[in-house]
Amino acid sequence: MTIQENVPLAPLTTLQVGGAARYFAQAKREDEVRETVDFAKTRQLPLFVLGGGSNLVVADSGWPGLVLRIAIGGITSPSLQGTSGNSVLFSVGAGVSWDEFVAQAVAQNCAGIECLSGIPGSVGGTPVQNVGAYGQEVADTIESVCALDIKENRAVVLPKPACGFRYRSSIFNRIDDTGQLGRYIILQVNYRLKRGGAPSLKYADLQKHFADVKTTPSLAMVREAVRQIRRSKGMLLVPGDEDCRSAGSFFKNPVLSEEQFHDLAARAQSKGLEIPSYPALEAQHKVSAAWLVEHSGFAKGFRLGRAAISKKHALALINTGDAKASDVVQLQETIQNGVRQSWGTLLEPEPVFVGF
Ligand SMILES: Cc1cc2nc3c(=O)[nH]c(=O)nc-3n(C[C@H](O)[C@H](O)[C@H](O)COP(=O)(O)OP(=O)(O)OC[C@H]3O[C@@H](n4cnc5c(N)ncnc54)[C@H](O)[C@@H]3O)c2cc1C
């Protein structure tokens, strides 16, 4: 296992800001992961696990400890394993590119993740914030997650109920009862998909796309449609497109209680506006963060220093070229303050802040 020193992190992230890792290692196998964890433990170095770097804001001062990049590959062939009826189990290495796996599943006519096409990052990153888009989330198809439990120093298989999936959250990004975060390093994820299953067409954007198509679109058509829609919103990584130099959506859609929602809706009504919302769990309402941003005086393309709001998507904060992490954070705080003043709601950031 090679441990490198002072490795710049910005090029390993989609937002492309931030400083270097004091120590850096890349692991292709479980034993390399264990070896690197031991290196960090014996030197008492803080450990950060890196996937595809698509949901991160790295501090300008970088990471003072060890960054471990997970590069475990492998997608098991469903024709060999786990096929019962039309339900198919895919076991995928945490370092596999998520979109490559989606492409493979769709090519094998397996349904369940087609709407998650075009999301950047690694397979191991998907359970962390329960990645979701266009009416699907990975919690719908994850059967179990294989991980290294750093606390107990052993490999574990966590069945889906043990992963505690919620909206943009799981046990992998929440602090546990003992106050610990980052107890598990994800090594492999097992997804159960449906061979020959119909594509999911829950979202209005997708229904509109296929409005003139008389028959049910194929999984491949839905994958292509999702990628096209994402491209138009700067949510697909396209080389040279400044609008996708981001960490995706920067703010989560606020999930409000009945009472909070009624307050907000009343405020909107007093301004002659109706706030877009969707029902959430347990009598809660999920409110559109994009709407709140745009109705607080921040239009798409709004620029502050070297950071800006994407011209294609109100929730994506972008690096206009040579931004520092501090530029992005300044823009983030300006938007949060503006939304709080206009609507009394605090927008919670979605990306993970590293080294702040
Ligand atoms: C253009 C763009 C569009 C996006 N669209 C969406 C979207 O539609 N829906 C959505 O949900 N997200 C979206 N995202 C966010 C991001 O792509 C996802 O959150 C993705 O799953 C992050 O995976 P990653 O491998 O890049 O993780 P990283 O960014 O490297 O890490 C994110 C977090 O996961 C942890 N982590 C990563 N790998 C492991 C592992 N193997 N074990 C333990 N912890 C790990 C890291 O420590 C960190 O806390 C988008 C991002 C971009 C840039």
Side-chain angles (χ1 to χ4, degrees), residues 14 48-56 70 94 119-122 124-126 128-129 131-133 168 184-186 230 234-235 237 246-248 350 352:
T14 52
F48 179 76
V49 179
L50 176 68
S54 62
N55 208 23
L56 305 180
I70 302 297
I119 297 180
S122 65
T126 61
V128 177
Q129 69 153 0
V131 157
R168 294 299 174 271
Y184 299 103
I185 299 181
I186 297 163
R230 294 186 70 92
M235 284 288 150
L237 295 187
S246 77
E350 188 179 301
V352 176

Side-chain angles (χ1 to χ4, degrees), residues 5-127:
E5 293 191 48
N6 302 319
V7 173
L9 291 172
L12 303 177
T13 69
T14 52
L15 188 58
Q16 293 176 29
V17 298
R22 177 69 189 89
Y23 297 98
F24 180 90
Q26 182 156 297
K28 291 189 174 159
R29 298 188 312 266
E30 184 185 329
D31 62 310
E32 293 179 336
V33 173
R34 285 175 181 270
E35 218 181 295
T36 313
V37 170
D38 288 347
F39 178 92
K41 269 189 186 162
T42 40
R43 285 163 186 78
Q44 295 188 319
L45 295 168
L47 177 70
F48 179 76
V49 179
L50 176 68
S54 62
N55 208 23
L56 305 180
V57 183
V58 177
D60 293 321
S61 53
W63 179 252
L66 175 74
V67 169
L68 166 59
R69 190 185 201 193
I70 302 297
I72 301 171
I75 305 178
T76 59
S77 166
S79 57
L80 297 177
Q81 184 200 318
T83 309
S84 72
N86 57 3
S87 134
V88 178
L89 186 71
F90 283 86
S91 300
V92 193
V96 170
S97 143
W98 168 253
D99 198 45
E100 263 177 55
F101 167 50
V102 178
Q104 193 161 319
V106 166
Q108 294 185 31
N109 200 26
C110 291
I113 52 174
E114 62 283 354
C115 294
L116 305 177
S117 293
I119 297 180
S122 65
V123 162
T126 61

Side-chain angles (χ1 to χ4, degrees), residues 197-201 210 213-219 221-222:
S200 169
L201 290 173
F210 290 111
V213 178
K214 297 282 171 282
T215 53
T216 307
S218 66
L219 294 173
M221 284 160 77
V222 172

